Amino acid sequence: MNGLRRSALAICLAAAAWAAGCATPGPMIDPAFAARAYTPLRIAVLQPDVFVVLDQVGDNDPVASAALGQAVTGQTVQAINQALRSRGYDVDLSARWDGIVAPDGSLLVNRDEMGWLANGILQFANSPEGGGAGPMTQPAFIAPEVAAHVGWATQSDALLYVNVKGVSVSSGKRAAEVLAAVFIVVIIAAIILAIAASGKNNNGSSSGLGRGAGMRGQPVMRGTPPATGGARLPSTSGFRGTPPGAGGPIVAPRGRGYAPPIGGGPRRVYGGGGPHVGIGVGVIIPLDGPVYTHDGTVSHEDDTFAGDQLYVSMTLVSAQDGRVLWHQRQSLDLDAQSPADLDRMVH
């Protein structure tokens, strides 16, 4: 009994250590934003970048993956809109990757600037600094001029960017995985019975099993193109205000309070120096890793026994100076086909 108690205690301690190691780290947060010395009032939600793979039996259908990506995009925007409004923020959903257009049809922000902003955010998110947690000891800035331009065009004082990549197992592959698992269990049971029977026939002589080849199939790398042609995001409000004069500065609305001054100390600026058109085009990144892309694609290792997984990066940027106010990237054991799981992802 004492041995059983010691074993149970060891199992409990191991489980507690595992849970502590798997605890979700807190987000990176600007100290002024954490202290509410500066609080945005209106947030422009940029169109999410979504790269999801529908893992099927045999070759994956890119059309089915693209359709799933469109559904995830729409559901993510809806969940973000509801979550922000429930926290008292005003929300603008007019920003698209092909540009921001005024009610009269004039182009306020072009697609190159939108891509420049997304790639600047990803430069930060993919950097070692983007994997931190807790209060930010050194401020980071994302393309300050472009952030202010997008803030002016959407009349927002902060910008939220979300990047989602992941894999969702189809019902057909789930059934195949169950059958494969049952088959393996039956084979193992048959081997054990055969060994037991052989031992009896040999008057108790023992026999062993060698190291056999695994049942796992060879992984196949498949790049899945990002979802295209998704549903247009609704705009909750039109453009307000008068564009600045020729050569004048573009000023975004200011939130409540004041962010700390930039000062003369060290600071990192991501995405500066002008538009970077086409960055990431043709680049294939691994799905299960800390790197995200805006205009590339992802690769998926098609394991025999796969599971659902979502990798999410969220970044909140001040439109006043491009300062990163809040950032987090997480790996979540959630299913992209489940609206409830997508809502959990956002919250």
Side-chain angles (χ1 to χ4, degrees), residues 292-303:
Y292 297 80
T293 183
H294 168 62
D295 43 12
T297 186
V298 299
S299 63
H300 167 54
E301 185 175 335
D302 196 3
D303 293 333

Side-chain angles (χ1 to χ4, degrees), residues 68 75 168 334-344:
L68 177 59
Q75 292 167 6
S168 179
L334 298 175
D335 183 7
Q337 298 183 80
S338 168
D341 276 8
L342 294 177
D343 189 66
R344 288 175 56 195

Side-chain angles (χ1 to χ4, degrees), residues 91-251:
V91 180
D92 179 88
L93 302 176
S94 62
R96 291 180 50 83
W97 295 128
D98 56 2
I100 302 175
V101 180
D104 62 1
S106 60
L107 186 65
L108 301 176
V109 181
N110 63 41
R111 62 183 303 167
D112 290 345
E113 288 181 295
M114 296 300 297
W116 175 13
L117 180 62
N119 283 319
I121 295 175
L122 288 180
Q123 286 177 23
F124 165 74
N126 294 339
S127 69
E129 292 80 10
M136 300 176 67
T137 58
Q138 180 177 325
F141 298 85
I142 310 294
E145 299 86 357
V146 182
H149 195 182
V150 174
W152 162 79
T154 59
Q155 292 292 282
S156 303
D157 50 313
L159 316 172
L160 179 65
Y161 172 76
V162 180
N163 193 301
V164 180
K165 60 178 183 174
V167 59
S168 179
V169 181
S170 68
S171 57
K173 185 158 186 177
R174 290 185 195 278
E177 288 176 348
V178 171
L179 291 176
V182 171
F183 177 76
I184 292 174
V185 170
V186 170
I187 292 297
I188 293 175
I191 292 174
I192 293 174
L193 291 175
I195 292 174
S198 176
K200 290 181 180 179
N201 292 336
N202 291 324
N203 296 322
S205 61
S206 62
S207 61
L209 283 177
R211 292 182 180 271
M215 299 294 293
R216 184 177 177 180
Q218 294 295 323
V220 179
M221 302 299 291
R222 299 185 181 88
T224 302
T228 58
R232 294 189 64 87
L233 302 180
S235 173
T236 58
S237 65
F239 173 77
R240 300 190 301 272
T242 303
I250 294 178
V251 180

Side-chain angles (χ1 to χ4, degrees), residues 303-322:
D303 293 333
T304 301
F305 293 96
D308 302 314
Q309 198 72 18
L310 291 176
Y311 300 85
V312 187
S313 175
M314 292 187 178
T315 310
L316 183 68
V317 177
S318 170
Q320 277 290 306
D321 55 6

